[in-house]
Amino acid sequence: MKKIRTYLLLLFTSATFIIHAQKVPKIDLTPWKLTIPEGAVTTYKAPKLLDYSENLDIQKFMFNDLTDRSLVFYVYPSIKSKRSFNKTDLKEQNSFGGDAGWTFKGGAKLKAVVRMGDISKKNDVNPRVIFVQIGGRLKEDQVNLIGAKDKTAPSILKVFWDNGYVKLRSKRLADPSITGVDVLKEDSWIDDDGYTFKNKVGFDKFTFQIEITDGKMEVSVNGEDKVYSGGDYKLWNAFDNYFTVGCNLQGDEIGAYANMKFYTLEVSH
């Protein structure tokens, strides 16, 4: 009888594990590192990141929703953080666990199925949330060449969920006459006028994609495209780049919060 009970217990445990595994989002976290807005900012990467479902500190900000098989990024601004805006996000890393870096010339692609989850509202307006970004980085010799304080370069693209619409903000040269090493300086680049996709996504799932090729950046939402190209994007070959995804809350109002849900996430370059 004891052997039968043990067998049934193992069978139940195995079945429970299989059912749970089937509900977990199939997103490979190996090429990413996670930053959570806890205190002075805490970062996790593989192998610790891969056990996020067992880590109570991570679970406060990134967790699985088994009801719809999504990976949820959560943030609220009452956390004491040194950053102006609080964010829970994944940032690309290379196979050695260091900073990833790809160029426009080499190309890159990101594709994800996402939706906005719970989000606060004030005066009938939700706070904006950045859920995808292409960050820029200088190479070591470029830092020395222009006397920069660190490797930080402008972000060529920020993608917002803004009251149900997907909005883009990119960069352009502050002056068309800027050339040479001056292209590497952060103040040589300013925000463009922005772009808003016509079709509202609201709180529904949508497919989002970025495809980078030499001198060109194509962004799409549910098949609706926005293409960036021209001289400025040719010049962007000078920088290394990396993707970040997650929930970056653009506001610090008391009681504000948001969570962004990722169902799939694929990156290649």
Side-chain angles (χ1 to χ4, degrees):
M1 182 64 70
K2 186 176 180 180
K3 288 183 177 180
I4 294 175
R5 284 200 299 266
T6 301
Y7 172 76
L8 291 174
L9 179 61
L10 290 172
L11 186 63
F12 174 78
T13 302
S14 177
T16 302
F17 175 79
I18 292 172
I19 292 171
H20 182 271
Q22 289 174 340
K23 293 182 178 180
V24 172
K26 292 187 177 297
I27 294 177
D28 182 12
L29 295 177
T30 306
W32 301 92
K33 57 183 176 181
L34 172 73
T35 299
I36 60 174
E38 187 84 275
V41 180
T42 304
T43 300
Y44 297 88
K45 53 186 175 182
K48 287 185 177 181
L49 176 57
L50 305 184
D51 295 325
Y52 68 95
S53 61
E54 305 298 326
N55 187 310
L56 295 180
D57 291 327
I58 293 178
Q59 285 286 298
K60 290 185 288 185
F61 304 103
M62 189 185 81
F63 52 89
N64 297 326
D65 185 342
L66 301 183
T67 64
D68 63 358
R69 203 176 181 183
S70 64
L71 182 62
V72 182
F73 296 86
Y74 177 65
V75 71
Y76 55 95
S78 59
I79 309 161
K80 298 299 181 183
S81 174
K82 292 182 178 181
R83 292 177 292 183
S84 56
F85 295 125
N86 283 297
K87 60 184 179 180
T88 300
D89 64 18
L90 294 172
K91 180 179 179 181
E92 276 192 287
Q93 61 175 10
N94 61 31
S95 58
F96 300 103
D99 290 334
W102 47 265
T103 64
F104 268 51
K105 189 173 183 177
K109 186 176 182 179
L110 178 147
K111 185 176 183 180
V113 175
V114 301
R115 82 171 179 87
M116 176 56 69
D118 294 331
I119 187 169
S120 58
K121 179 177 285 190
K122 183 177 181 180
N123 299 326
D124 207 36
V125 176
N126 302 117
R128 294 192 308 163
V129 172
I130 296 175
F131 64 93
V132 175
Q133 191 168 191
I134 298 178
R137 185 184 292 113
L138 295 171
K139 299 176 179 67
E140 193 67 50
D141 61 330
Q142 293 173 331
V143 172
N144 299 327
L145 187 63
I146 63 175
K149 294 180 180 179
D150 53 38
K151 293 183 179 180
T152 303
S155 296
I156 190 62
L157 182 70
K158 294 180 180 180
V159 186
F160 300 81
W161 183 94
D162 190 347
N163 276 298
Y165 289 90
V166 177
K167 297 187 176 181
L168 308 177
R169 178 74 74 179
S170 187
K171 294 288 185 183
R172 63 178 178 82
L173 282 176
D175 188 323
S177 65
I178 295 174
T179 57
V181 296
D182 288 336
V183 168
L184 301 172
K185 297 177 180 178
E186 191 166 3
D187 59 5
S188 294
W189 297 88
I190 59 175
D191 286 340
D192 66 0
D193 294 331
Y195 177 82
T196 302
F197 286 92
K198 295 177 182 178
N199 296 318
K200 189 174 184 178
V201 298
F203 290 86
D204 296 330
K205 280 186 187 180
F206 61 94
T207 299
F208 177 83
Q209 181 172 293
I210 302 172
E211 186 162 5
I212 304 293
T213 52
D214 189 5
K216 183 179 178 182
M217 179 168 66
E218 184 173 354
V219 187
S220 69
V221 174
N222 289 338
E224 181 186 349
D225 295 332
K226 167 62 178 174
V227 178
Y228 296 86
S229 61
D232 289 1
Y233 295 91
K234 277 287 186 181
L235 290 173
W236 206 261
N237 280 330
F239 298 103
D240 281 342
N241 302 272
Y242 56 89
F243 289 116
T244 62
V245 302
C247 186
N248 186 337
L249 187 62
Q250 301 296 286
D252 57 1
E253 298 87 358
I254 295 174
Y257 63 88
N259 71 55
M260 199 76 194
K261 312 188 86 173
F262 280 71
Y263 297 86
T264 65
L265 177 61
E266 304 169 29
V267 170
S268 60
H269 43 70

